[in-house]
Amino acid sequence: MTPEEETQFKARQKSRNKALGFVLVGLVVLFFALTIVRFPDAEDRAAFEKEKAEAGQ
């Protein structure tokens, strides 16, 4: 492998590593957000509907 090819290889490798790093950071942020703001379950939806019905009356 010539020095020029090696330089190009390292540049491509560095670019891929940065992209993979961004993907991993994005997943960490997504999982953290889902942990903090959890999805409502059936009980939560029922309580919300009850509050909504009471407020409308």
Side-chain angles (χ1 to χ4, degrees), residues 3-22:
E4 184 179 314
E5 289 174 334
E6 187 174 343
T7 303
Q8 290 175 349
F9 175 77
K10 287 184 179 183
R12 286 193 308 269
Q13 189 176 31
K14 187 175 182 178
S15 175
R16 274 181 267 154
N17 288 342
K18 282 184 181 181
L20 183 58
F22 286 133

Side-chain angles (χ1 to χ4, degrees), residues 40-47:
D41 57 7
E43 283 183 23
D44 293 335
R45 287 191 297 271

Side-chain angles (χ1 to χ4, degrees), residues 11-47:
R12 286 193 308 269
Q13 189 176 31
K14 187 175 182 178
S15 175
R16 274 181 267 154
N17 288 342
K18 282 184 181 181
L20 183 58
F22 286 133
V23 169
L24 290 175
V25 167
L27 284 173
V28 167
V29 169
L30 176 65
F31 292 149
F32 180 73
L34 290 176
T35 301
I36 300 302
V37 182
R38 65 183 181 88
F39 291 108
D41 57 7
E43 283 183 23
D44 293 335
R45 287 191 297 271

